[in-house]
């Protein structure tokens, strides 16, 4: 048996998608286990209450609990840096490592690494979010030279409800942003039940698709020395980058 690798995943409290998807994603890696810690997130909006859910101190408490399990890496499986700013996740990762001694990653920072690896400049942004949240994400990507104006959002605020978005809706959103000229697509919300369908969309539309549940796991596995090419059926990111 290879050396045991333990991944610690920070999880929004009302998220019901990322845990089963993450477990399925690593199911072919017998030496890898995944462990979760939740903190309270119930809505995604730009109101003070909603933004306050992502205070660093609250997330750090959950990260410290994961460190008790001697995890090899800690990942924030969430997309809040999309509207709060990428520097928020950079600061969070630094704070987690300072507090626990464990290297850290996030869905959004890992997505940005994937975009760089694939040379993407026109990104199709698929989310369930409110229009003003989506606008913030588009603006933050524009600030780093990535055009995410090919976008589709659903106007939902309740975090739990994101997991109820059906396959037909996601299929339509994906098709819409491809038609708008996206070089690649991101399903940008870790409570969308989408990661397992990435390979199908890539075949149908001929562009890479980066799901934010997958991106953080991809980055954590790379950091811990696991060959992600052993994971098949979950998209080009794991096979090519």
């Amino acid at each position: 048996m290879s050396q045991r690798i333990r991944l610690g995943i920070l999880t929004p409290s009302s998220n019901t998608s990322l845990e089963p998807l993450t477990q399925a994603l690593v199911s072919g890696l017998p030496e890898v286990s995944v462990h979760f810690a939740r903190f309270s997130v119930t809505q995604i909006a730009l109101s003070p209450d909603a933004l306050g859910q992502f205070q660093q101190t609250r997330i750090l408490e959950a990260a410290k609990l994961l460190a008790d399990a001697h995890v090899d890496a800690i990942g924030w499986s969430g997309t809040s840096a999309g509207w709060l700013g990428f520097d928020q996740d950079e600061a969070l990762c630094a704070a987690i490592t300072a507090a626990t001694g464990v290297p850290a990653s996030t869905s959004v920072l890992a997505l940005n690494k994937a975009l760089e690896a694939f040379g993407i400049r026109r990104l199709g942004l698929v989310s369930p979010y409110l229009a003003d949240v989506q606008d913030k994400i588009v603006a933050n990507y524009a600030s780093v030279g990535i055009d995410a104006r090919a976008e589709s959002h659903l106007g939902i605020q309740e975090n739990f409800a994101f997991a109820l978005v059906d396959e037909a809706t996601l299929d339509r959103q994906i098709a819409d942003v491809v038609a708008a000229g996206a070089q690649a697509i991101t399903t940008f919300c870790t409570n969308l039940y989408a990661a397992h369908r990435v390979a199908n969309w890539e075949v149908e539309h001929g562009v890479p698709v980066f799901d934010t549940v997958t991106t953080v796991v991809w980055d954590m596995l790379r950091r811990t020395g696991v060959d992600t090419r052993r994971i098949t059926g979950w998209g080009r990111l794991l096979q090519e980058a």
Side-chain angles (χ1 to χ4, degrees):
M1 177 70 71
S2 302
Q3 179 183 353
R4 195 80 189 155
I5 302 294
R6 300 179 185 87
L7 305 181
I9 301 288
L10 294 161
T11 306
S13 60
S14 54
N15 187 308
T16 61
S17 295
L18 79 82
E19 287 164 311
L21 287 167
T22 301
Q23 294 282 20
L25 180 60
V26 302
S27 62
L29 304 174
E31 77 279 20
V32 176
S33 59
V34 189
H35 310 275
F36 303 93
R38 291 173 177 258
F39 65 96
S40 182
V41 178
T42 59
Q43 60 175 318
I44 300 300
L46 300 183
S47 64
D49 286 349
L51 296 177
Q53 297 170 119
F54 301 102
Q55 291 176 4
Q56 187 181 103
T57 54
R58 301 175 67 250
I59 306 174
L60 280 177
E61 289 306 309
K64 290 175 183 177
L65 295 178
L66 286 172
D68 288 346
H70 292 216
V71 293
D72 298 285
I74 293 174
W76 162 221
S77 191
T79 54
S80 55
W83 54 94
L84 295 176
F86 305 138
D87 59 328
Q88 295 292 306
D89 270 7
E90 292 167 357
L92 174 63
C93 288
I96 288 172
T97 301
T100 67
V102 180
S105 182
T106 76
S107 293
V108 173
L109 296 182
L111 170 61
N112 293 350
K113 289 182 183 180
L115 297 178
E116 183 177 358
F118 279 76
I120 302 303
R121 286 293 173 263
R122 296 193 313 277
L123 178 64
L125 177 64
V126 169
S127 90
Y129 299 139
L130 299 172
D132 57 354
V133 173
Q134 192 86 335
D135 289 344
K136 282 280 191 181
I137 301 168
V138 172
N140 281 325
Y141 274 104
S143 73
V144 294
I146 294 174
D147 183 350
R149 290 176 296 173
E151 63 85 20
S152 177
H153 61 281
L154 299 176
I156 305 171
Q157 179 168 333
E158 184 191 10
N159 196 73
F160 175 81
F162 300 156
L164 306 180
V165 176
D166 60 25
E167 291 187 358
T169 299
L170 290 171
D171 288 345
R172 174 184 58 77
Q173 290 185 279
I174 296 286
D176 286 349
V177 298
V178 171
Q183 290 177 298
I185 301 161
T186 179
T187 39
F188 198 90
C189 171
T190 64
N191 203 21
L192 287 176
Y193 206 74
H196 63 302
R197 304 201 59 227
V198 161
N200 293 331
W201 289 322
E202 289 179 336
V203 169
E204 181 176 357
H205 297 291
V207 298
V209 180
F210 307 126
D211 180 82
T212 48
V213 170
T214 303
T215 55
V216 69
V217 176
W218 163 76
D219 192 38
M220 295 169 77
L221 291 174
R222 290 168 70 243
R223 288 166 175 251
T224 53
V226 177
D227 185 355
T228 64
R229 292 172 298 180
R230 295 164 56 201
I231 301 173
T232 59
W234 290 79
R236 292 174 55 185
L237 176 62
L238 295 158
Q239 293 295 306
E240 299 179 16

